[in-house]
Amino acid sequence: MLLEKKRLLVTGVLTPQSIAFHVARVAQEQGAQVVLTSFGKAMGLTEKSARRLPETPDVLEMDANDPGHIEAVAGDLATRWGSLDGFLHAIAFAPADALGGAFLDTPWESARTAFQTSAYSLKAIAVGMLPLMKEAGGGAIVSLDFDASKAWPIYDWMGVSKAALEAITRYLAQYLGPHGIRVNCVSAGPLRTMAAKGIPGFDSLASQWGRRAPLDWDIHDPEPVARAVAFLLSDWAKAITAEIVHVDGGYHAIGADRVDGP
């Protein structure tokens, strides 16, 4: 199996519609041991969703903006496993005034929150898990992205934060590569998740995706994204790092909507 004997930390599971939920499921199906994280009021949702996985994993509390929480999770994993083969970063948040066309009016405090939670947290978790990944002899880090090469009309400071996430991925790849740790992003097309509900205009964006993507795109199917993440977490991707892998039906490469033929 692709991830046999791998020990993986998966963040970002809220509901069974979450991309991270499907990553955890595919990872278990491919032989991995999985631990989830959540925090605050979301813990109950995550624990409920965890019971719907093939094997019910433990859920550890971790606020990615709290160094103490990251340290506590690392301590738990050190006791539980002694090492860590990889983790999924599926954490993003922007206040309402940082989305939906408010770009010019967004205060620094809201932009900072979006950046710290959605981008800087990747570095924070990577540093916190580094000793465990060194103990494993290397491993893989994957984060969930949304194409930051363009300015999206509704994405605003979350788009800026995703651009930062991509840059942090490249720098982490540079500094963690000597330890045998690979760092990549998966840039997914729009999917109907709880996170998507918080993005003003999501339905408009999602509805036009199929008019441009060469491959059919199902906004209700996270499976292709989950499988790509599983591949990047596996040894089959051993020479891949600092990459942004697009799993979006090819939308990113096409310059205009399709024109129907005669």
Side-chain angles (χ1 to χ4, degrees):
M1 290 187 284
L2 197 63
L3 295 170
E4 189 170 6
K5 297 182 180 180
K6 296 294 186 186
R7 294 166 170 176
L8 303 175
L9 183 69
V10 176
T11 70
V13 173
L14 285 178
T15 72
Q17 288 72 46
S18 301
I19 298 172
F21 175 89
H22 290 272
V23 171
R25 176 182 56 78
V26 170
Q28 287 185 339
E29 291 171 351
Q30 292 299 317
Q33 297 180 59
V34 172
V35 166
L36 308 182
T37 72
S38 187
F39 87 100
K41 294 179 180 178
M43 285 285 290
L45 278 175
T46 303
E47 289 166 348
K48 184 177 179 180
S49 296
R51 292 192 288 271
R52 297 183 63 175
L53 289 167
E55 297 179 18
T56 302
D58 287 343
V59 180
L60 305 181
E61 185 164 27
M62 187 178 75
D63 177 353
N65 292 335
D66 186 332
H69 278 212
I70 295 173
E71 183 179 351
V73 168
D76 181 288
L77 296 179
T79 301
R80 180 189 302 260
W81 289 334
S83 63
L84 183 69
D85 296 297
F87 71 84
L88 172 70
H89 178 278
I91 300 169
F93 172 76
D97 60 357
L99 293 165
F103 187 88
L104 297 179
D105 299 317
T106 301
W108 162 240
E109 291 76 17
S110 295
R112 179 183 61 195
T113 296
F115 168 76
Q116 181 180 13
T117 306
S118 309
Y120 185 83
S121 61
L122 173 62
K123 192 281 290 189
I125 299 172
V127 170
M129 302 302 143
L130 181 56
L132 291 170
M133 297 188 74
K134 285 182 177 179
E135 195 65 32
I141 299 168
V142 181
S143 61
L144 296 182
D145 186 24
F146 190 75
D147 187 3
S149 66
K150 303 173 182 65
W152 299 98
I154 58 176
Y155 216 39
D156 292 353
W157 287 96
M158 184 60 81
V160 174
S161 298
K162 290 299 187 183
L165 181 76
E166 294 178 359
I168 289 169
T169 292
R170 290 187 287 269
Y171 277 93
L172 285 175
Q174 175 179 234
Y175 287 110
L176 299 183
H179 302 297
I181 298 171
R182 298 171 284 108
V183 191
N184 295 290
C185 288
V186 169
S187 180
L191 290 165
R192 181 73 66 186
T193 64
M194 182 172 284
K197 292 180 181 178
I199 302 173
F202 173 83
D203 288 340
S204 175
L205 175 66
S207 66
Q208 56 86 32
W209 206 264
R211 297 197 295 270
R212 183 170 303 187
L215 298 176
D216 287 338
W217 183 255
D218 183 352
I219 65 171
H220 300 287
D221 183 14
E223 184 83 6
V225 179
R227 290 186 180 189
V229 172
F231 163 71
L232 290 171
L233 288 169
S234 79
D235 292 338
W236 282 30
K238 204 164 187 177
I240 301 173
T241 196
E243 279 292 347
I244 301 168
V245 178
H246 291 84
V247 185
D248 63 355
Y251 182 100
H252 70 284
I254 306 302
D257 292 353
R258 286 179 290 180
V259 178
D260 294 334

